[in-house]
């Protein structure tokens, strides 16, 4: 009766998966934790201690499974990599960089923000007592900078453009151009709305707005505020970065955004602290084999070169596909082909330590968009009004990043410095202690996220991903299950890794519970 009850507890999740016709396309949904003892007597080896691997290991342990978590790096977190003073940056084909940062300065080389609707990741932060703070993802004092170096404050780009659009639409209504689309009642309501929306004058014209900043600042006594002159429409439209003034309207970028105090990897360290058996680090997997009743994993200690073998009932593999493709496995030919065919995108970051000159420009966090080849300048949210901070002079992805990473590291740093100096003249000299990260060159990652539909001109991290390879990799190969943000609809976000891991550990728990009905419980775990 106990085992039947365990299966019943997993039923709602499995029903959702079965309704899809396959075992698990990752998708946003509520999740029911696994029954407490469903894994008693069963063992699982989890490969990779990024967010998916940590989630899988933690939830499987909570359900009674005996879990071994192997991680090739000497740290947990995977892409959630926070650099602090003294940390080494090793990239394939490049000389080792060493971070030289002042006390309290750090650089999130990977993810650096968490949307408020990513409740899986935020929930684990709460569970593990990881302090969080608001990440200022957008600042109206930041800039959009055209290719010729002309720049417009974000508040002006947004509000002046809105004013011109409101004026044009009001004129069209008043001239009868929209009589076929609007009823008289709708027109009567639309015109007052447009006046408020664009801050139009009584005659429906746009002459400027204090939303874009003051022409005359308010002061003591009868020193009244007044709006400045709007940026001319042709100048706004000539700015190639103008569409990025809509950046914060993207659901994934909307306030409120969060970040862990002290660096993104604090959440992953929280996972590791709360595992009964923390991750075994420096354990690089070299071989995977199915056995009659489980899975055998051979790994090498990266420090000593000594190999060891783990045998477990099940495996959760979270290794990035470009890395997995190079490991000796006995996966089915179709699965091997699918793994080898996954193309990963490109992404780079270049960070500098600097005195907070941007705060004297009224920029507290947020992003200025500067275009190719570096894409943006990202200002820190943490440590506002402190002496120094970490500013990013580059965060690009897609084809722009593919070209950028072909430059030497020195040239990448010089280019990023030059873009900051172009945006903030004279401050390029303030930028010290640079670090460059090219994710396509990072060992055990070899890319930031998959480009399921090909490397494009933009990041392309979210969307309706549904290719034959994507569907095949959702399914287990024998007792091997694949969990990674790459197999979610948000491969560039940590929440996708959590969703994928939860889906697959639920499938393992259901399988273990079903097998327990027909076979005696035995613990199968060995290490040699």
């Amino acid at each position: 009766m106990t085992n039947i009850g365990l299966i019943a507890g997993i039923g709602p999740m499995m029903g959702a998966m079965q309704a899809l016709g396959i075992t698990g396309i990752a998708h946003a949904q509520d999740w029911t934790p696994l029954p407490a003892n469903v894994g008693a007597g069963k063992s699982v080896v989890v490969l990779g201690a990024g967010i998916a691997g940590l989630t899988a290991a933690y939830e499987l342990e909570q359900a009674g499974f005996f879990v071994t978590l192997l991680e090739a790096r000497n740290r947990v977190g995977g892409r959630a990599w926070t650099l602090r003073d003294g940390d080494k940056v090793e990239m394939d084909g490049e000389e080792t960089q060493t971070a030289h940062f002042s006390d309290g300065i750090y650089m999130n080389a990977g993810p650096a923000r968490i949307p408020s609707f990513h409740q899986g990741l935020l929930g684990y932060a709460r569970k593990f007592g990881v302090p969080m703070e608001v990440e200022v993802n957008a600042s109206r004092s930041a800039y959009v900078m055209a290719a010729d170096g002309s720049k417009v404050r974000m508040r002006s780009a947004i509000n002046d453009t809105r004013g011109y659009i409101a004026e044009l639409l009001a004129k069209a209504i008043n001239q009868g151009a929209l009589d076929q689309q609007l009823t008289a009642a709708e027109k009567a309501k639309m015109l007052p709305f447009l006046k408020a929306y664009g801050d139009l004058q009584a005659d429906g014209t746009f002459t400027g707005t204090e939303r874009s900043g003051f022409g005359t600042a308010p002061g003591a006594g009868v020193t009244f505020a007044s709006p400045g002159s709007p940026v001319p429409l042709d100048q706004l439209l000539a700015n190639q970065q103008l569409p990025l003034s809509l950046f914060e309207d993207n659901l994934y970028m909307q306030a409120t955004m969060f970040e862990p105090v002290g660096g993104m990897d604090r959440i992953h360290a929280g996972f590791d602290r709360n595992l009964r058996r923390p991750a075994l680090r420096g354990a690089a997997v070299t071989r995977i084999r199915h056995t009659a009743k489980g899975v055998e994993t051979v790994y090498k200690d990266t420090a000593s070169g000594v190999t060891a073998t783990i045998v477990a009932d099940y495996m959760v593999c979270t290794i990035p596909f470009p890395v997995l493709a190079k490991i000796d496995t006995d996966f089915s030919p179709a699965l091997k082909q699918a793994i080898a065919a996954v193309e990963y995108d490109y992404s780079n970051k270049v960070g500098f330590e600097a005195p907070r000159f941007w705060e004297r420009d009224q920029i507290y966090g947020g992003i200025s968009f500067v275009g190719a080849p570096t894409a943006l300048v990202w200002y820190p949210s943490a440590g506002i009004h402190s002496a120094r901070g970490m500013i990013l002079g580059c965060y690009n992805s897609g084809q722009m990043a593919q070209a950028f990473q072909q430059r030497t590291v020195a040239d990448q740093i010089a280019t990023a410095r030059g873009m900051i100096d172009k945006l903030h003249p004279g401050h390029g000299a303030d930028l010290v202690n640079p670090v460059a990260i090219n994710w396509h060159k990072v060992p055990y990652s070899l890319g930031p996220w998959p480009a399921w539909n090909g490397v494009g001109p933009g990041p392309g991290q979210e969307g309706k991903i549904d290719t034959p390879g994507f569907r095949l990799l959702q399914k287990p190969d024998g007792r091997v299950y694949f969990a990674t943000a790459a197999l979610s609809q948000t491969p560039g976000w940590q929440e996708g890794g959590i969703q994928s891991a939860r889906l697959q550990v639920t499938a393992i728990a259901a399988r273990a519970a079903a097998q327990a009905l027909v076979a005696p419980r035995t613990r199968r775990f060995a290490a040699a």
Side-chain angles (χ1 to χ4, degrees):
M1 292 296 293
T2 300
N3 291 329
I4 295 173
L6 292 176
I7 295 174
I10 301 169
M13 176 66 77
M14 291 304 296
M17 291 191 293
Q18 291 165 0
L20 293 171
I22 59 174
T23 304
I25 289 180
H27 57 289
Q29 62 180 33
D30 293 333
W31 185 70
T32 302
L34 306 179
N37 294 311
V38 68
K42 296 295 183 181
S43 58
V44 183
V45 60
V46 178
L47 308 184
I51 190 63
L54 289 165
T55 300
Y58 177 78
E59 296 299 347
L60 288 166
E61 277 194 349
Q62 296 301 300
F65 289 90
F66 186 83
V67 179
T68 302
L69 175 58
L70 302 180
E71 169 53 51
R73 298 176 172 94
N74 292 314
R75 61 176 179 84
V76 300
R79 289 182 306 176
W81 184 16
T82 302
L83 296 171
R84 300 179 180 85
D85 184 53
D87 286 344
K88 304 293 185 183
V89 176
E90 296 181 351
M91 299 190 298
D92 293 340
E94 303 290 353
E95 293 186 4
T96 298
Q97 301 172 74
T98 301
H100 297 290
F101 300 153
S102 301
D103 289 346
I105 302 297
Y106 60 88
M107 174 181 169
N108 284 319
R113 52 195 166 201
I114 305 171
S116 56
F117 67 92
H118 282 183
Q119 287 294 303
L121 186 57
L122 292 171
Y124 285 121
R126 287 192 296 270
K127 182 187 291 285
F128 301 141
V130 179
M132 304 295 289
E133 60 188 349
V134 171
E135 189 269 334
V136 182
N137 203 40
S139 169
R140 295 295 175 95
S141 293
Y143 296 99
V144 287
M145 186 172 73
D148 63 3
S150 61
K151 59 188 182 183
V152 179
R153 294 273 191 180
M154 192 70 73
R155 63 171 60 92
S156 296
I158 292 169
N159 292 298
D160 288 357
T161 301
R162 193 163 79 174
Y164 288 124
I165 290 172
E167 178 184 9
L168 290 169
L169 186 53
K171 286 179 178 178
I173 292 172
N174 285 324
Q175 293 171 3
L178 297 178
D179 285 353
Q180 298 300 313
Q181 287 76 33
L182 296 174
T183 66
E186 288 169 339
K187 288 169 61 176
K189 294 176 181 178
M190 179 64 79
L191 289 168
F193 169 76
L194 290 173
K195 182 178 184 300
Y197 179 75
D199 200 12
L200 305 181
Q201 299 298 309
D203 63 358
T205 59
F206 176 67
T207 60
T209 173
E210 287 185 11
R211 298 169 184 170
S212 298
F214 297 121
T216 302
V222 292
T223 304
F224 302 123
S226 65
S229 299
V231 178
L233 180 58
D234 61 344
Q235 183 177 329
L236 288 169
L237 295 176
N239 190 316
Q240 299 90 343
Q241 306 310 310
L242 181 64
L244 288 167
S245 64
L246 300 172
F247 166 77
E248 62 184 297
D249 291 335
N250 182 330
L251 179 60
Y252 292 91
M253 301 299 173
Q254 291 176 10
T256 302
M257 305 285 285
F258 297 97
E259 61 182 350
V261 175
M264 185 59 72
D265 64 353
R266 300 297 196 195
I267 298 177
H268 308 76
F271 269 101
D272 203 44
R273 286 194 307 271
N274 284 274
L275 290 174
R276 299 185 185 105
R277 303 181 72 232
L280 180 60
R281 308 181 192 202
V285 174
T286 60
R287 173 178 158 132
I288 298 170
R289 288 291 185 273
H290 293 86
T291 66
K293 295 183 179 180
V295 186
E296 178 184 273
T297 305
V298 179
Y299 68 92
K300 180 178 69 175
D301 181 87
T302 56
S304 67
V306 174
T307 61
T309 300
I310 293 285
V311 178
D313 294 302
Y314 304 99
M315 173 186 288
V316 178
C317 181
T318 75
I319 297 173
F321 295 128
V323 180
L324 183 59
K326 299 179 180 181
I327 295 174
D328 179 11
T329 71
D330 64 350
F331 298 154
S332 68
L335 185 62
K336 284 187 176 182
Q337 183 178 1
I339 291 169
V342 181
E343 181 182 15
Y344 268 49
D345 208 332
Y346 297 80
S347 185
N348 310 297
K349 282 188 175 181
V350 179
F352 302 88
E353 180 184 337
R356 293 174 175 260
F357 55 82
W358 54 89
E359 292 184 359
R360 296 196 295 272
D361 205 17
Q362 302 176 20
I363 300 174
Y364 298 94
I367 294 170
S368 288
F369 294 98
V370 299
T374 58
L376 55 78
V377 173
W378 194 346
Y379 311 94
S381 302
I384 287 174
H385 285 169
S386 59
R388 305 181 71 78
M390 172 60 58
I391 183 171
L392 292 189
C394 169
Y395 178 25
N396 55 21
S397 55
Q399 292 174 351
M400 186 190 302
Q402 184 177 12
F404 190 79
Q405 72 147 28
Q406 294 174 6
R407 301 169 181 240
T408 65
V409 168
D411 189 32
Q412 292 176 38
I413 290 169
T415 301
R417 184 192 305 275
M419 291 301 281
I420 292 177
D421 194 69
K422 186 177 180 181
L423 183 68
H424 299 281
H427 289 292
D430 293 334
L431 307 174
V432 298
N433 303 332
V435 174
I437 306 294
N438 306 145
W439 275 100
H440 223 72
K441 303 175 186 176
V442 174
Y444 306 118
S445 289
L446 302 182
W449 50 77
W452 286 105
N453 299 311
V455 176
Q461 299 163 317
E462 304 93 31
K464 293 180 171 58
I465 304 167
D466 189 11
T467 68
F470 182 83
R471 283 188 173 250
L472 179 60
L473 288 163
Q474 307 291 333
K475 303 176 183 179
D477 187 78
R479 291 173 177 242
V480 178
Y481 291 75
F482 300 95
T484 162
L487 294 176
S488 78
Q489 293 301 314
T490 52
W493 294 93
Q494 296 179 90
E495 191 78 359
I498 291 172
Q499 292 170 346
S500 180
R502 287 175 167 180
L503 203 60
Q504 299 299 359
V505 301
T506 299
I508 291 173
R511 184 170 177 176
Q515 290 174 341
L517 293 174
V518 296
R521 295 183 182 180
T522 57
R523 172 172 291 183
R524 298 185 63 262
F525 176 84

